[in-house]
C-alpha cells in the first residue's frame, strides 16, 4: 500500500522568499509522484509529476520537485514566492506502471504568502 | 475545450436521504474518478470508471456507488446519508486509465448533511 506524509499543515512565507513544501512517501513498488494545487473554491490542478527519467521535475508557475529514492522524498520548491501562490498543496502517489488512476494524497499544506 | 463539470455545486440533504451527484468529463476523456475531501480525512479515493467499467474502488461502505454512461458521464450515489458524509466530492477525468496520467478535476459538489 502507498502512503504520503506532508510535513507541516500550514506554511507561511514572505513574498519573494523560497517556498519549500515537504513530502515523504511509502510505496512497495516504484511510485509515480505528483504535486497538485487547490485554490479556494476550486478543484485540484496538476503542478508537476515524476514518473521515470530525470529526478528533477519542473512544473508550472515556477515550481519544481526532486525525487530522492534514498530519502523517499519528493519535496516541492519555488525560489521566489508570489502572492498568487497562496493555496493548498497536495502531494500524491500512485503505483507505478499499474492500471488505474487511484491517487493516494497527503494531508495537504496550506501556504500563506505575506506581503 | 470545456473542463470537468460537476453538478450541482451545492447540495443540502438530511440524514437518511439519498443523493446523486453528476460529473461530465472533458470531451474525449474516458476515465472518471471520484474523491471525497473533508477537513478531517483529507482527500480519499472513492472509485474510478473507464469505459463504463469500475476499475478501482476505495475503502468506502456500500452506500457509496457509482456508474459511468456510454458518453463517459458519471454519477455517484450515496444512500442513507449520514452526518459524516458531509464533504466536497471531486470528480476527475483523464484520457486513459494509466497511473501516470494527469487528472483534470472539477470544482466539486459541496454536500451538507443535516
Amino acid at each position: 500500500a502507498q502512503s504520503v506524509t506532508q510535513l507541516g499543515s500550514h506554511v507561511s512565507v514572505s513574498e519573494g522568499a523560497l517556498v519549500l513544501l515537504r513530502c515523504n512517501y511509502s510505496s512497495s513498488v516504484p511510485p509515480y509522484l505528483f504535486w497538485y494545487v487547490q485554490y479556494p473554491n476550486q478543484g485540484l490542478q496538476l503542478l508537476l509529476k515524476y514518473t521515470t527519467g530525470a529526478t528533477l521535475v519542473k512544473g508550472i508557475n515556477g515550481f519544481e520537485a526532486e525525487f530522492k529514492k534514498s530519502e523517499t522524498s519528493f519535496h516541492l520548491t519555488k525560489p521566489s514566492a508570489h502572492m498568487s501562490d497562496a493555496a493548498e498543496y497536495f502531494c500524491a502517489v500512485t503505483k507505478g506502471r499499474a492500471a488505474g488512476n487511484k491517487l493516494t494524497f497527503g494531508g495537504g499544506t496550506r501556504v500563506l504568502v505575506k506581503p | 475545450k470545456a473542463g470537468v463539470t460537476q453538478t450541482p455545486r451545492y447540495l443540502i440533504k438530511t440524514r437518511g436521504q439519498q443523493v446523486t451527484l453528476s460529473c461530465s468529463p472533458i470531451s474525449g476523456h474516458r476515465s472518471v474518478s471520484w474523491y471525497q475531501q473533508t477537513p478531517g480525512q483529507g482527500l480519499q479515493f472513492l472509485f474510478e470508471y473507464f469505459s463504463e467499467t469500475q476499475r478501482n474502488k476505495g475503502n468506502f461502505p456500500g452506500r457509496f456507488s457509482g456508474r459511468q454512461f456510454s458518453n463517459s458521464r458519471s454519477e455517484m450515489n450515496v444512500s442513507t446519508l449520514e452526518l459524516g458524509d458531509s464533504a466536497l466530492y471531486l470528480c476527475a477525468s483523464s484520457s486513459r486509465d494509466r497511473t501516470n496520467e494527469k487528472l483534470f478535476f472539477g470544482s466539486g459538489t459541496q454536500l451538507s448533511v443535516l
Side-chain angles (χ1 to χ4, degrees), chain A residues 14-86:
Chain A
S14 297
E15 192 174 18
L18 171 73
V19 179
L20 170 60
L21 305 182
R22 299 178 187 275
C23 171
N24 288 88
Y25 69 90
S26 166
S27 179
S28 56
V29 298
Y32 290 160
L33 295 156
F34 305 78
W35 276 99
Y36 280 85
V37 61
Q38 186 176 33
Y39 298 100
N41 299 314
Q42 294 186 29
L44 281 71
Q45 178 183 2
L46 180 68
L47 280 176
L48 49 79
K49 64 178 179 179
Y50 168 79
T51 54
T52 58
T55 56
L56 181 62
V57 181
K58 294 188 185 300
I60 63 171
N61 302 338
F63 284 94
E64 64 180 37
E66 186 171 12
F67 170 61
K68 291 187 177 181
K69 184 178 178 181
S70 61
E71 299 177 8
T72 61
S73 69
F74 190 56
H75 301 332
L76 181 72
T77 60
K78 181 174 180 177
S80 177
H82 191 272
M83 296 299 291
S84 61
D85 295 327

Side-chain angles (χ1 to χ4, degrees), chain A residues 32 34 36 38 41-46 49 51 88 90 94-107, chain B residues 9-10 31 33 35 37 43 45 48 55-58 88 90 94 96-107:
Chain A
Y32 290 160
F34 305 78
Y36 280 85
Q38 186 176 33
N41 299 314
Q42 294 186 29
L44 281 71
Q45 178 183 2
L46 180 68
K49 64 178 179 179
T51 54
E88 189 158 20
F90 294 91
T94 65
K95 284 185 183 179
R97 301 176 191 166
N101 284 320
K102 179 181 177 181
L103 284 170
T104 298
F105 284 94
Chain B
R9 185 72 178 90
Y10 300 95
S31 173
S33 49
Y35 290 82
Q37 185 176 23
L43 280 155
F45 173 79
E48 180 202 2
R55 301 299 293 265
N56 282 296
K57 190 176 190 307
L88 180 66
L90 292 166
S94 65
R96 300 186 305 167
D97 65 334
R98 287 293 179 263
T99 53
N100 59 349
E101 285 291 306
K102 173 181 178 179
L103 297 187
F104 293 82
F105 283 82
S107 296

